[in-house]
Amino acid sequence: MSKPVILTGLRANNQLHLGNYLGALLPIVKLQKQYAGQYQINLFVPDLHSFTTPIDHSKLYEQSLNNIRLFIAAGLDIKDQDTYIYRQSFVPAHSELTVILNSFTYMGELSRMTQFKEKGSGQSSVSVGLFDYPVLMAADILLYGAKYVPVGADQTQHVELARDIAIRFNNKFGDIFVLPEAEKQQIEFAHSTNRLRIKDLQDPSKKMSKSAGSDKGIIFLGDDPEVARKKILSATTDSFGEIAYDHETRPGISNLMDILSALSGTPLADVQQKYQGLSQYGEFKKDVADAVVNFLKDFNNKLQAVDDQLCLDKISQSEKEVNQLANQTLAKAQKAVGLRQ
Ligand code: TYM
């Protein structure tokens, strides 16, 4: 019997940052280790998804490959037989299933997606690609029957939409798709209390995101470690004069605690206990900065050591295999809607 699937994807249209690393890359690497032999892991670059907002197309191909190097630098075991690493556009079934699912998804649902509202707001024109991308994402997930989809908090709504579309389709046509687990089970599976949302260091009311006006609040994975140190040391905190963890009233300090906990692998409760009530914000920030600097140095060493040929071989092998897997599900959906007999 085939193994249950854990799947995630990271777009290639910008430099990845600490939010991407902690929200998606690190969780899937941990899950791969934790559940070795029990689950199939699908890690892919949603390259078609990467130009739903304008990009420099001359860099897309290379950036897609570079994203895959990042997975490996983050600790993914490339030799694991149950792990597939691939690019979305190299598996045409993703696009085909999207067209089918479009007719079972409502304009109202897509208009309510927070990401669409945020990315589309203030733009003079918004592409249909941006509007429709949650359906492409549903196809990414449903083609492989993925049960678990480790993503950051900003993508939860899309995973839930994939589940809703699958339920609707199955209600009409029978058991075609495996359902992704509901949010509560997803969180339990990852042994966490919630999905992670790393905030902008300068404006901790917003998530860390490349679309922020300035780079000062973002730690890029390619940042010079000393530049990153300065960004942490000048992060916005608060003027309470006493360290405490509370995202409502102290988003800046709480964000730094989240970062320290995730990078050092120390449970959040222990980080809280260590610093709670202290008045030395500077000391605390220095500890966070050290953790970030150490992480970046280590990560970049690992990135330099990635064996490109091994990486390319893995991708081409995976792309062969996942095309077969994806086509099996696509064929079921095509049959269900009457396109095939
Ligand atoms: P993308 O490329 O914007 O982000 C990649 C992953 O990084 C997470 N992330 C964050 N996590 C915590 N804090 C942050 N500040 C932060 N910023 C980003 C995202 O939640 C995501 O997990 N639609 C997806 C890509 C995608 C996908 C999929 C993911 C396409 N198809 C199928 C899973 C399954 C996206 O645009 O993520």
Side-chain angles (χ1 to χ4, degrees), residues 56-90:
D56 177 352
H57 288 265
S58 67
K59 300 204 169 115
L60 179 58
Y61 189 85
E62 197 38 54
Q63 277 179 339
S64 298
L65 288 175
N66 194 48
N67 257 29
I68 291 177
R69 290 187 193 101
L70 298 175
F71 297 153
I72 297 162
L76 194 82
D77 176 8
I78 188 173
K79 294 190 180 137
D80 175 36
Q81 295 294 323
D82 293 323
T83 298
Y84 296 100
I85 306 183
Y86 54 97
R87 294 159 291 182
Q88 184 185 45
S89 75
F90 284 73

Short mmCIF file of all heavy atoms in Angstrom, two decimals, residues 56-90:
data_model
loop_
_atom_site.label_atom_id
_atom_site.label_comp_id
_atom_site.label_asym_id
_atom_site.label_seq_id
_atom_site.Cartn_x
_atom_site.Cartn_y
_atom_site.Cartn_z
N ASP A 56 10.90 39.10 -12.50
CA ASP A 56 11.88 39.12 -13.58
C ASP A 56 11.94 37.70 -14.14
O ASP A 56 12.55 36.81 -13.55
CB ASP A 56 13.25 39.55 -13.00
CG ASP A 56 14.34 39.53 -14.06
OD1 ASP A 56 14.08 39.04 -15.17
OD2 ASP A 56 15.45 39.99 -13.73
N HIS A 57 11.32 37.50 -15.31
CA HIS A 57 11.20 36.13 -15.84
C HIS A 57 12.54 35.53 -16.25
O HIS A 57 12.67 34.32 -16.32
CB HIS A 57 10.21 36.11 -17.02
CG HIS A 57 8.80 36.29 -16.56
ND1 HIS A 57 7.96 35.25 -16.31
CD2 HIS A 57 8.11 37.42 -16.26
CE1 HIS A 57 6.79 35.71 -15.88
NE2 HIS A 57 6.86 37.03 -15.84
N SER A 58 13.53 36.39 -16.50
CA SER A 58 14.82 35.84 -16.93
C SER A 58 15.49 35.07 -15.79
O SER A 58 16.42 34.32 -16.00
CB SER A 58 15.74 36.96 -17.43
OG SER A 58 16.09 37.79 -16.34
N LYS A 59 14.99 35.28 -14.55
CA LYS A 59 15.63 34.60 -13.41
C LYS A 59 14.85 33.38 -12.91
O LYS A 59 15.32 32.65 -12.04
CB LYS A 59 15.77 35.58 -12.24
CG LYS A 59 16.60 36.79 -12.59
CD LYS A 59 17.19 37.40 -11.34
CE LYS A 59 18.23 38.43 -11.69
NZ LYS A 59 17.84 39.77 -11.28
N LEU A 60 13.63 33.21 -13.42
CA LEU A 60 12.75 32.20 -12.82
C LEU A 60 13.34 30.78 -12.84
O LEU A 60 13.33 30.08 -11.83
CB LEU A 60 11.37 32.22 -13.52
CG LEU A 60 10.36 31.20 -13.01
CD1 LEU A 60 10.09 31.36 -11.52
CD2 LEU A 60 9.04 31.32 -13.79
N TYR A 61 13.86 30.38 -13.99
CA TYR A 61 14.33 28.99 -14.12
C TYR A 61 15.43 28.70 -13.09
O TYR A 61 15.39 27.71 -12.37
CB TYR A 61 14.85 28.75 -15.54
CG TYR A 61 15.15 27.31 -15.82
CD1 TYR A 61 14.14 26.45 -16.24
CD2 TYR A 61 16.44 26.81 -15.65
CE1 TYR A 61 14.42 25.10 -16.47
CE2 TYR A 61 16.72 25.47 -15.87
CZ TYR A 61 15.70 24.63 -16.28
OH TYR A 61 15.97 23.30 -16.50
N GLU A 62 16.39 29.62 -13.02
CA GLU A 62 17.52 29.41 -12.10
C GLU A 62 17.04 29.48 -10.65
O GLU A 62 17.48 28.70 -9.79
CB GLU A 62 18.59 30.47 -12.40
CG GLU A 62 19.97 30.19 -11.86
CD GLU A 62 20.42 28.73 -11.89
OE1 GLU A 62 20.40 28.08 -12.97
OE2 GLU A 62 20.79 28.23 -10.82
N GLN A 63 16.09 30.40 -10.38
CA GLN A 63 15.61 30.52 -8.99
C GLN A 63 14.86 29.27 -8.54
O GLN A 63 14.91 28.90 -7.38
CB GLN A 63 14.70 31.75 -8.86
CG GLN A 63 15.51 33.01 -8.65
CD GLN A 63 14.65 34.25 -8.52
OE1 GLN A 63 13.49 34.26 -8.96
NE2 GLN A 63 15.19 35.28 -7.95
N SER A 64 14.17 28.64 -9.49
CA SER A 64 13.45 27.40 -9.12
C SER A 64 14.45 26.35 -8.68
O SER A 64 14.25 25.67 -7.67
CB SER A 64 12.67 26.84 -10.31
OG SER A 64 11.71 27.76 -10.71
N LEU A 65 15.53 26.23 -9.42
CA LEU A 65 16.56 25.25 -9.04
C LEU A 65 17.21 25.64 -7.72
O LEU A 65 17.50 24.81 -6.87
CB LEU A 65 17.62 25.13 -10.14
CG LEU A 65 17.17 24.43 -11.42
CD1 LEU A 65 18.26 24.48 -12.47
CD2 LEU A 65 16.79 22.98 -11.13
N ASN A 66 17.41 26.94 -7.56
CA ASN A 66 18.04 27.39 -6.33
C ASN A 66 17.18 27.08 -5.10
O ASN A 66 17.69 26.72 -4.04
CB ASN A 66 18.35 28.89 -6.40
CG ASN A 66 19.31 29.28 -5.30
OD1 ASN A 66 20.32 28.63 -5.09
ND2 ASN A 66 18.94 30.30 -4.54
N ASN A 67 15.87 27.19 -5.26
CA ASN A 67 14.98 26.85 -4.14
C ASN A 67 15.20 25.41 -3.69
O ASN A 67 15.17 25.10 -2.51
CB ASN A 67 13.52 26.97 -4.58
CG ASN A 67 12.89 28.21 -4.05
OD1 ASN A 67 13.58 29.19 -3.85
ND2 ASN A 67 11.60 28.18 -3.82
N ILE A 68 15.43 24.56 -4.68
CA ILE A 68 15.63 23.15 -4.35
C ILE A 68 16.95 22.99 -3.59
O ILE A 68 17.03 22.21 -2.65
CB ILE A 68 15.53 22.30 -5.64
CG1 ILE A 68 14.06 22.35 -6.09
CG2 ILE A 68 16.01 20.88 -5.39
CD1 ILE A 68 13.73 21.64 -7.35
N ARG A 69 17.95 23.78 -3.96
CA ARG A 69 19.21 23.73 -3.19
C ARG A 69 18.94 24.13 -1.73
O ARG A 69 19.54 23.60 -0.81
CB ARG A 69 20.24 24.69 -3.78
CG ARG A 69 20.77 24.25 -5.11
CD ARG A 69 21.91 25.16 -5.57
NE ARG A 69 22.19 24.93 -6.97
CZ ARG A 69 21.79 25.71 -7.98
NH1 ARG A 69 21.10 26.81 -7.74
NH2 ARG A 69 22.07 25.40 -9.22
N LEU A 70 18.02 25.10 -1.57
CA LEU A 70 17.73 25.56 -0.20
C LEU A 70 17.11 24.44 0.65
O LEU A 70 17.41 24.31 1.83
CB LEU A 70 16.79 26.76 -0.22
CG LEU A 70 17.32 28.03 -0.90
CD1 LEU A 70 16.25 29.11 -0.95
CD2 LEU A 70 18.54 28.57 -0.17
N PHE A 71 16.24 23.65 0.02
CA PHE A 71 15.64 22.53 0.77
C PHE A 71 16.75 21.64 1.32
O PHE A 71 16.71 21.16 2.44
CB PHE A 71 14.78 21.61 -0.13
CG PHE A 71 13.56 22.25 -0.76
CD1 PHE A 71 13.07 21.75 -1.97
CD2 PHE A 71 12.89 23.29 -0.18
CE1 PHE A 71 11.95 22.29 -2.57
CE2 PHE A 71 11.76 23.84 -0.76
CZ PHE A 71 11.29 23.34 -1.96
N ILE A 72 17.73 21.41 0.45
CA ILE A 72 18.80 20.48 0.82
C ILE A 72 19.69 21.10 1.90
O ILE A 72 20.05 20.45 2.88
CB ILE A 72 19.58 20.05 -0.43
CG1 ILE A 72 18.61 19.31 -1.36
CG2 ILE A 72 20.78 19.18 -0.08
CD1 ILE A 72 19.07 19.19 -2.78
N ALA A 73 19.99 22.41 1.73
CA ALA A 73 20.80 23.08 2.76
C ALA A 73 20.06 23.09 4.10
O ALA A 73 20.69 23.07 5.16
CB ALA A 73 21.10 24.51 2.32
N ALA A 74 18.74 23.09 4.06
CA ALA A 74 17.97 23.10 5.30
C ALA A 74 17.97 21.73 5.98
O ALA A 74 17.44 21.57 7.07
CB ALA A 74 16.53 23.54 5.03
N GLY A 75 18.53 20.73 5.29
CA GLY A 75 18.69 19.44 5.96
C GLY A 75 17.86 18.32 5.37
O GLY A 75 17.83 17.21 5.91
N LEU A 76 17.17 18.59 4.28
CA LEU A 76 16.36 17.53 3.67
C LEU A 76 17.27 16.41 3.16
O LEU A 76 18.27 16.68 2.51
CB LEU A 76 15.57 18.12 2.50
CG LEU A 76 14.46 17.19 2.03
CD1 LEU A 76 13.24 17.36 2.92
CD2 LEU A 76 14.11 17.47 0.59
N ASP A 77 16.89 15.18 3.46
CA ASP A 77 17.69 14.05 3.01
C ASP A 77 17.29 13.71 1.58
O ASP A 77 16.25 13.12 1.32
CB ASP A 77 17.46 12.85 3.95
CG ASP A 77 18.20 11.62 3.46
OD1 ASP A 77 19.00 11.72 2.50
OD2 ASP A 77 17.98 10.54 4.05
N ILE A 78 18.15 14.10 0.66
CA ILE A 78 17.85 13.96 -0.77
C ILE A 78 17.89 12.50 -1.22
O ILE A 78 17.29 12.11 -2.22
CB ILE A 78 18.87 14.82 -1.56
CG1 ILE A 78 18.53 14.90 -3.04
CG2 ILE A 78 20.27 14.36 -1.34
CD1 ILE A 78 19.41 15.87 -3.80
N LYS A 79 18.58 11.67 -0.43
CA LYS A 79 18.71 10.25 -0.86
C LYS A 79 17.54 9.41 -0.39
O LYS A 79 17.42 8.25 -0.81
CB LYS A 79 20.02 9.68 -0.32
CG LYS A 79 21.22 10.36 -0.97
CD LYS A 79 22.51 9.65 -0.64
CE LYS A 79 23.67 10.36 -1.30
NZ LYS A 79 24.82 10.49 -0.41
N ASP A 80 16.69 9.99 0.44
CA ASP A 80 15.55 9.22 0.95
C ASP A 80 14.64 8.81 -0.21
O ASP A 80 14.18 9.65 -0.99
CB ASP A 80 14.78 10.10 1.96
CG ASP A 80 13.52 9.43 2.44
OD1 ASP A 80 13.54 8.20 2.61
OD2 ASP A 80 12.50 10.13 2.62
N GLN A 81 14.37 7.52 -0.30
CA GLN A 81 13.58 6.98 -1.42
C GLN A 81 12.13 7.44 -1.39
O GLN A 81 11.45 7.41 -2.41
CB GLN A 81 13.60 5.44 -1.37
CG GLN A 81 14.96 4.82 -1.59
CD GLN A 81 15.49 5.07 -2.99
OE1 GLN A 81 14.73 5.06 -3.95
NE2 GLN A 81 16.78 5.35 -3.12
N ASP A 82 11.64 7.82 -0.21
CA ASP A 82 10.23 8.24 -0.10
C ASP A 82 10.06 9.73 -0.34
O ASP A 82 8.97 10.27 -0.15
CB ASP A 82 9.69 7.92 1.30
CG ASP A 82 9.60 6.42 1.55
OD1 ASP A 82 9.26 5.70 0.60
OD2 ASP A 82 9.87 6.00 2.68
N THR A 83 11.15 10.42 -0.69
CA THR A 83 11.05 11.88 -0.87
C THR A 83 11.16 12.24 -2.35
O THR A 83 12.06 11.77 -3.05
CB THR A 83 12.19 12.57 -0.08
OG1 THR A 83 12.00 12.29 1.31
CG2 THR A 83 12.19 14.08 -0.29
N TYR A 84 10.20 13.06 -2.79
CA TYR A 84 10.22 13.53 -4.18
C TYR A 84 10.46 15.03 -4.19
O TYR A 84 9.87 15.76 -3.39
CB TYR A 84 8.87 13.26 -4.86
CG TYR A 84 8.57 11.78 -4.98
CD1 TYR A 84 7.72 11.15 -4.08
CD2 TYR A 84 9.15 11.02 -5.99
CE1 TYR A 84 7.45 9.79 -4.17
CE2 TYR A 84 8.89 9.66 -6.11
CZ TYR A 84 8.04 9.05 -5.19
OH TYR A 84 7.78 7.72 -5.29
N ILE A 85 11.33 15.47 -5.11
CA ILE A 85 11.61 16.90 -5.23
C ILE A 85 11.40 17.29 -6.69
O ILE A 85 12.05 16.71 -7.58
CB ILE A 85 13.08 17.21 -4.81
CG1 ILE A 85 13.35 16.64 -3.41
CG2 ILE A 85 13.34 18.69 -4.84
CD1 ILE A 85 14.76 16.95 -2.88
N TYR A 86 10.51 18.24 -6.94
CA TYR A 86 10.16 18.51 -8.35
C TYR A 86 9.65 19.93 -8.55
O TYR A 86 9.39 20.65 -7.59
CB TYR A 86 9.10 17.50 -8.82
CG TYR A 86 7.86 17.44 -7.94
CD1 TYR A 86 6.71 18.14 -8.25
CD2 TYR A 86 7.85 16.66 -6.78
CE1 TYR A 86 5.58 18.09 -7.45
CE2 TYR A 86 6.73 16.59 -5.97
CZ TYR A 86 5.59 17.31 -6.30
OH TYR A 86 4.48 17.26 -5.50
N ARG A 87 9.53 20.28 -9.83
CA ARG A 87 8.99 21.59 -10.19
C ARG A 87 7.58 21.39 -10.74
O ARG A 87 7.35 20.51 -11.57
CB ARG A 87 9.89 22.25 -11.24
CG ARG A 87 11.27 22.58 -10.70
CD ARG A 87 12.29 22.75 -11.79
NE ARG A 87 12.59 21.46 -12.44
CZ ARG A 87 13.49 21.30 -13.42
NH1 ARG A 87 14.17 22.33 -13.85
NH2 ARG A 87 13.68 20.11 -13.97
N GLN A 88 6.69 22.25 -10.31
CA GLN A 88 5.27 22.13 -10.67
C GLN A 88 5.06 22.08 -12.19
O GLN A 88 4.30 21.25 -12.69
CB GLN A 88 4.58 23.35 -10.07
CG GLN A 88 3.10 23.47 -10.20
CD GLN A 88 2.68 24.83 -9.64
OE1 GLN A 88 3.30 25.85 -9.93
NE2 GLN A 88 1.65 24.83 -8.82
N SER A 89 5.73 22.96 -12.92
CA SER A 89 5.43 23.04 -14.36
C SER A 89 5.97 21.84 -15.13
O SER A 89 5.66 21.66 -16.30
CB SER A 89 5.99 24.34 -14.96
OG SER A 89 7.39 24.24 -15.10
N PHE A 90 6.78 21.00 -14.47
CA PHE A 90 7.27 19.80 -15.13
C PHE A 90 6.31 18.63 -14.96
O PHE A 90 6.58 17.52 -15.38
CB PHE A 90 8.68 19.44 -14.62
CG PHE A 90 9.73 20.35 -15.20
CD1 PHE A 90 9.84 21.67 -14.78
CD2 PHE A 90 10.58 19.91 -16.20
CE1 PHE A 90 10.78 22.53 -15.33
CE2 PHE A 90 11.51 20.76 -16.77
CZ PHE A 90 11.62 22.07 -16.33
#
